[in-house]
Amino acid sequence: MSDEFIGFNVFISGSGKGLGRSTSIHLAKRGARVGVSDIDGEACDETIRLIREGGGEAYGFICDLSDRAAFHHAVGEFARKVGPLDAMINNASILRYEPIENVTPETLDLMLGGGLKTVMWGTQALLAHMNPEKGASIINYASPVSYRGYPNTAVYSAVKGAVLSLTRVMAAELGPRGVRVNAVAPGSVPTPGATAYVGIEEYDRRAQSIPLRRLGRDEDNAAAVAFLLSRDATFINGAVLNVDGGIVAAG
Ligand SMILES: NC(=O)c1ccc[n+]([C@@H]2O[C@H](COP(=O)([O-])OP(=O)(O)OC[C@H]3O[C@@H](n4cnc5c(N)ncnc54)[C@H](O)[C@@H]3O)[C@@H](O)[C@H]2O)c1
């Protein structure tokens, strides 16, 4: 276990599975105390188990983070255990691909809740539980769809476009308070959420067309998040780091 993030308190939304889980484990291995939170209780417990098995420190909060009161309560409890927060990682989101005419009010509410409200409530919760003298950091999860029009991704793309806008607004609004706000935009990582919609053949096709000729990996994104949170990034604010092997650049 390295010690770069010893004494660093980070809360990660949607960290029961996928990139949230791997980033939690990565930061805990480097010394951070991690608040793990997910609507999926079993997945949340498993992330906690994996972190503790590796000698890390983590606390679990099973709740629907689209609920403002629930998010604030979870972060308040985490801060009560570990002290003021140093970072919030707004990772939770719900992936669903479908033609525009199939989008129902339920889908829209669910995806706006899981992918957009969580970013707003996570940011508010950080502001309420950080040390204003010390400052803090926020990482939002954008996507290649934030920049381009991919058919059948209307709600997901709208959510990720909004996350990109919010990153810029928050960087401008919160920078003067010592809060850096950046985003990572992962490309094609076969996580549980993604593989429910993207099959093996499509992943093979993508791996051939991505400039670096491979899919994204959990560790690519965890390392990018760790860099943006680190002492090496203290003047980086409002940036979006494309962790995508060149997908966005190639178009
Ligand atoms: N996997 C990729 O290729 C990819 C590409 C671009 C962007 N991203 C982004 O990266 C982030 C992580 O993606 P992933 O692929 O690991 O997703 P995932 O679906 O595998 O995991 C997301 C987690 O968020 C949780 N969650 C969703 N709504 C919640 C809510 N309301 N309250 C609490 N927890 C909730 C889910 O239960 C799940 O455990 C997301 O923001 C996603 O949009 C992923």
PDB file of all heavy atoms in Angstrom, residues 165-178:
ATOM      1  N   SER A 165     -21.187  20.443 -18.874  1.00  0.00           N
ATOM      2  CA  SER A 165     -21.495  21.859 -18.591  1.00  0.00           C
ATOM      3  C   SER A 165     -21.340  22.160 -17.109  1.00  0.00           C
ATOM      4  O   SER A 165     -20.769  23.187 -16.726  1.00  0.00           O
ATOM      5  CB  SER A 165     -22.939  22.192 -18.977  1.00  0.00           C
ATOM      6  OG  SER A 165     -23.123  22.020 -20.329  1.00  0.00           O
ATOM      7  N   LEU A 166     -21.856  21.250 -16.292  1.00  0.00           N
ATOM      8  CA  LEU A 166     -21.774  21.465 -14.837  1.00  0.00           C
ATOM      9  C   LEU A 166     -20.330  21.524 -14.367  1.00  0.00           C
ATOM     10  O   LEU A 166     -19.997  22.302 -13.465  1.00  0.00           O
ATOM     11  CB  LEU A 166     -22.469  20.320 -14.106  1.00  0.00           C
ATOM     12  CG  LEU A 166     -23.960  20.465 -13.850  1.00  0.00           C
ATOM     13  CD1 LEU A 166     -24.488  19.203 -13.184  1.00  0.00           C
ATOM     14  CD2 LEU A 166     -24.211  21.677 -12.957  1.00  0.00           C
ATOM     15  N   THR A 167     -19.476  20.706 -14.990  1.00  0.00           N
ATOM     16  CA  THR A 167     -18.064  20.704 -14.602  1.00  0.00           C
ATOM     17  C   THR A 167     -17.477  22.100 -14.799  1.00  0.00           C
ATOM     18  O   THR A 167     -16.749  22.616 -13.942  1.00  0.00           O
ATOM     19  CB  THR A 167     -17.290  19.661 -15.444  1.00  0.00           C
ATOM     20  OG1 THR A 167     -17.890  18.382 -15.230  1.00  0.00           O
ATOM     21  CG2 THR A 167     -15.818  19.618 -15.070  1.00  0.00           C
ATOM     22  N   ARG A 168     -17.814  22.712 -15.941  1.00  0.00           N
ATOM     23  CA  ARG A 168     -17.265  24.044 -16.226  1.00  0.00           C
ATOM     24  C   ARG A 168     -17.858  25.092 -15.290  1.00  0.00           C
ATOM     25  O   ARG A 168     -17.144  25.955 -14.764  1.00  0.00           O
ATOM     26  CB  ARG A 168     -17.548  24.402 -17.685  1.00  0.00           C
ATOM     27  CG  ARG A 168     -16.777  23.467 -18.608  1.00  0.00           C
ATOM     28  CD  ARG A 168     -16.984  23.808 -20.066  1.00  0.00           C
ATOM     29  NE  ARG A 168     -16.192  22.906 -20.883  1.00  0.00           N
ATOM     30  CZ  ARG A 168     -16.626  22.245 -21.941  1.00  0.00           C
ATOM     31  NH1 ARG A 168     -17.868  22.376 -22.345  1.00  0.00           N
ATOM     32  NH2 ARG A 168     -15.829  21.454 -22.612  1.00  0.00           N
ATOM     33  N   VAL A 169     -19.174  25.019 -15.083  1.00  0.00           N
ATOM     34  CA  VAL A 169     -19.818  25.997 -14.190  1.00  0.00           C
ATOM     35  C   VAL A 169     -19.264  25.863 -12.773  1.00  0.00           C
ATOM     36  O   VAL A 169     -18.918  26.855 -12.117  1.00  0.00           O
ATOM     37  CB  VAL A 169     -21.356  25.785 -14.172  1.00  0.00           C
ATOM     38  CG1 VAL A 169     -22.005  26.646 -13.094  1.00  0.00           C
ATOM     39  CG2 VAL A 169     -21.957  26.094 -15.531  1.00  0.00           C
ATOM     40  N   MET A 170     -19.161  24.628 -12.320  1.00  0.00           N
ATOM     41  CA  MET A 170     -18.695  24.407 -10.939  1.00  0.00           C
ATOM     42  C   MET A 170     -17.241  24.851 -10.780  1.00  0.00           C
ATOM     43  O   MET A 170     -16.857  25.393  -9.748  1.00  0.00           O
ATOM     44  CB  MET A 170     -18.837  22.934 -10.571  1.00  0.00           C
ATOM     45  CG  MET A 170     -20.278  22.510 -10.360  1.00  0.00           C
ATOM     46  SD  MET A 170     -20.391  20.714 -10.182  1.00  0.00           S
ATOM     47  CE  MET A 170     -22.139  20.538  -9.780  1.00  0.00           C
ATOM     48  N   ALA A 171     -16.424  24.608 -11.823  1.00  0.00           N
ATOM     49  CA  ALA A 171     -15.013  25.029 -11.745  1.00  0.00           C
ATOM     50  C   ALA A 171     -14.943  26.545 -11.584  1.00  0.00           C
ATOM     51  O   ALA A 171     -14.142  27.069 -10.791  1.00  0.00           O
ATOM     52  CB  ALA A 171     -14.269  24.592 -12.996  1.00  0.00           C
ATOM     53  N   ALA A 172     -15.792  27.255 -12.333  1.00  0.00           N
ATOM     54  CA  ALA A 172     -15.774  28.722 -12.273  1.00  0.00           C
ATOM     55  C   ALA A 172     -16.364  29.231 -10.950  1.00  0.00           C
ATOM     56  O   ALA A 172     -15.838  30.161 -10.341  1.00  0.00           O
ATOM     57  CB  ALA A 172     -16.571  29.289 -13.444  1.00  0.00           C
ATOM     58  N   GLU A 173     -17.432  28.585 -10.509  1.00  0.00           N
ATOM     59  CA  GLU A 173     -18.133  29.065  -9.308  1.00  0.00           C
ATOM     60  C   GLU A 173     -17.422  28.683  -8.015  1.00  0.00           C
ATOM     61  O   GLU A 173     -17.387  29.472  -7.059  1.00  0.00           O
ATOM     62  CB  GLU A 173     -19.563  28.497  -9.309  1.00  0.00           C
ATOM     63  CG  GLU A 173     -20.435  29.010  -8.171  1.00  0.00           C
ATOM     64  CD  GLU A 173     -21.891  28.577  -8.334  1.00  0.00           C
ATOM     65  OE1 GLU A 173     -22.347  28.364  -9.477  1.00  0.00           O
ATOM     66  OE2 GLU A 173     -22.571  28.447  -7.286  1.00  0.00           O
ATOM     67  N   LEU A 174     -16.836  27.484  -8.006  1.00  0.00           N
ATOM     68  CA  LEU A 174     -16.268  26.987  -6.747  1.00  0.00           C
ATOM     69  C   LEU A 174     -14.756  27.173  -6.644  1.00  0.00           C
ATOM     70  O   LEU A 174     -14.191  27.065  -5.555  1.00  0.00           O
ATOM     71  CB  LEU A 174     -16.626  25.502  -6.572  1.00  0.00           C
ATOM     72  CG  LEU A 174     -18.136  25.198  -6.618  1.00  0.00           C
ATOM     73  CD1 LEU A 174     -18.392  23.707  -6.460  1.00  0.00           C
ATOM     74  CD2 LEU A 174     -18.886  25.980  -5.536  1.00  0.00           C
ATOM     75  N   GLY A 175     -14.112  27.455  -7.789  1.00  0.00           N
ATOM     76  CA  GLY A 175     -12.661  27.685  -7.754  1.00  0.00           C
ATOM     77  C   GLY A 175     -12.245  28.715  -6.716  1.00  0.00           C
ATOM     78  O   GLY A 175     -11.298  28.486  -5.945  1.00  0.00           O
ATOM     79  N   PRO A 176     -12.932  29.870  -6.645  1.00  0.00           N
ATOM     80  CA  PRO A 176     -12.544  30.880  -5.657  1.00  0.00           C
ATOM     81  C   PRO A 176     -12.654  30.396  -4.204  1.00  0.00           C
ATOM     82  O   PRO A 176     -12.075  30.996  -3.298  1.00  0.00           O
ATOM     83  CB  PRO A 176     -13.544  32.025  -5.917  1.00  0.00           C
ATOM     84  CG  PRO A 176     -13.949  31.839  -7.350  1.00  0.00           C
ATOM     85  CD  PRO A 176     -13.969  30.349  -7.572  1.00  0.00           C
ATOM     86  N   ARG A 177     -13.383  29.277  -4.003  1.00  0.00           N
ATOM     87  CA  ARG A 177     -13.478  28.717  -2.643  1.00  0.00           C
ATOM     88  C   ARG A 177     -12.483  27.570  -2.448  1.00  0.00           C
ATOM     89  O   ARG A 177     -12.569  26.820  -1.470  1.00  0.00           O
ATOM     90  CB  ARG A 177     -14.915  28.230  -2.406  1.00  0.00           C
ATOM     91  CG  ARG A 177     -15.874  29.411  -2.373  1.00  0.00           C
ATOM     92  CD  ARG A 177     -17.311  28.991  -2.585  1.00  0.00           C
ATOM     93  NE  ARG A 177     -17.811  28.164  -1.509  1.00  0.00           N
ATOM     94  CZ  ARG A 177     -19.065  27.698  -1.457  1.00  0.00           C
ATOM     95  NH1 ARG A 177     -19.925  28.009  -2.416  1.00  0.00           N
ATOM     96  NH2 ARG A 177     -19.456  26.959  -0.453  1.00  0.00           N
ATOM     97  N   GLY A 178     -11.563  27.419  -3.394  1.00  0.00           N
ATOM     98  CA  GLY A 178     -10.537  26.377  -3.240  1.00  0.00           C
ATOM     99  C   GLY A 178     -11.020  24.989  -3.626  1.00  0.00           C
ATOM    100  O   GLY A 178     -10.410  23.991  -3.243  1.00  0.00           O
TER     101      GLY A 178
END
